[in-house]
Amino acid sequence: MLKSLRIELPGWLDEMSSASKGILFENDTDKMRLVIDAAMRNVDSGTGGPFGAGVFDEQTGQVIALGVNSVVAQKTSIAHAEVLAIALAQQRLGTFDLANDPQKHFSLFCSAQPCIMCFGTTWWSGISRLVTAARGADVERITGFDEGPVPEDWSAMLADRRDLPHVEVVKDVLREEATGVLQKYADLGHPVYNAGSTRQDS
């Protein structure tokens, strides 16, 4: 019986994270560019899908954790960039709730609008700010990935949560650069792995 779950990230991502350690990312553009660079590296290296994410300390501007889509390589549908970035940040900070210290605030930067699973992960993570680049419609139109039944008012839902801390949402930061990563992934003919799309008929 398995007693643990192991998900491995590409070796180059650890190098990128280490190189970014100590750097103060002063604005949304710089933070998003790091995340998009990770997404592009994932495509160029053939290590996963065209998505990157990062959790940043809002006070210091430092990156806490980076994640990239690793679904195929890790053979698990939960290995989305946002899920892995959040999980790594929580492990490194020693808490499942990134809002447990009212003196600290953390943001999640995503190269694309979160899918239905990552929307839920974001909801429970404790982040106080979500910044996105490409839109869900961009992802589906360019690549064919199914983003799931994300509520139309998803950003308003995060920004005005009853009995929970509100999450500020900022959209379309470096959207064109992020859609460029999606387009390159599609042009290279990399796999689109929607649930059931690889099912073998008997």
Side-chain angles (χ1 to χ4, degrees), residues 19-93:
S20 302
K21 189 175 182 180
I23 296 176
L24 304 183
F25 295 88
E26 297 181 353
N27 54 61
D28 288 354
T29 300
D30 290 343
K31 294 172 186 174
M32 186 62 77
R33 184 158 285 120
L34 176 66
V35 166
I36 292 174
D37 285 348
M40 183 64 86
R41 182 75 178 272
N42 210 30
V43 173
D44 289 340
S45 301
T47 47
F51 307 103
V55 174
F56 293 81
D57 185 317
E58 282 292 292
Q59 277 74 30
T60 67
Q62 293 182 313
V63 61
I64 304 299
L66 291 173
V68 290
N69 183 287
S70 302
V71 169
V72 173
Q74 296 304 305
K75 299 178 175 61
T76 175
S77 61
I78 68 170
H80 285 206
E82 298 93 327
V83 173
L84 298 182
I86 288 170
L88 284 169
Q90 291 169 333
Q91 289 286 299
R92 288 172 182 169
L93 295 170

Side-chain angles (χ1 to χ4, degrees), residues 23-186:
I23 296 176
L24 304 183
F25 295 88
E26 297 181 353
N27 54 61
D28 288 354
T29 300
D30 290 343
K31 294 172 186 174
M32 186 62 77
R33 184 158 285 120
L34 176 66
V35 166
I36 292 174
D37 285 348
M40 183 64 86
R41 182 75 178 272
N42 210 30
V43 173
D44 289 340
S45 301
T47 47
F51 307 103
V55 174
F56 293 81
D57 185 317
E58 282 292 292
Q59 277 74 30
T60 67
Q62 293 182 313
V63 61
I64 304 299
L66 291 173
V68 290
N69 183 287
S70 302
V71 169
V72 173
Q74 296 304 305
K75 299 178 175 61
T76 175
S77 61
I78 68 170
H80 285 206
E82 298 93 327
V83 173
L84 298 182
I86 288 170
L88 284 169
Q90 291 169 333
Q91 289 286 299
R92 288 172 182 169
L93 295 170
T95 177
F96 63 87
D97 180 6
L98 297 178
N100 72 336
D101 184 344
Q103 302 303 315
K104 295 183 178 181
H105 300 282
F106 299 95
S107 57
L108 174 65
F109 280 67
C110 311
S111 66
Q113 172 189 320
C115 69
I116 184 63
M117 177 175 68
C118 296
F119 172 77
T121 303
T122 300
W123 184 279
W124 294 119
S125 66
I127 67 156
S128 60
R129 193 164 182 262
L130 170 66
V131 184
T132 65
R135 300 179 183 181
D138 297 330
V139 174
E140 294 188 335
R141 173 178 54 83
I142 296 172
T143 66
F145 279 111
D146 182 358
E147 297 297 274
V150 180
E152 284 190 21
D153 59 346
W154 66 272
S155 57
M157 292 173 66
L158 285 170
D160 189 22
R161 301 190 302 170
R162 291 184 179 179
D163 303 322
L164 288 171
H166 296 181
V167 178
E168 178 189 358
V169 178
V170 179
K171 302 178 183 178
D172 297 340
V173 175
L174 298 183
R175 180 186 178 193
E176 186 174 350
E177 291 186 23
T179 56
V181 179
L182 299 173
Q183 189 63 60
K184 184 172 186 178
Y185 186 85

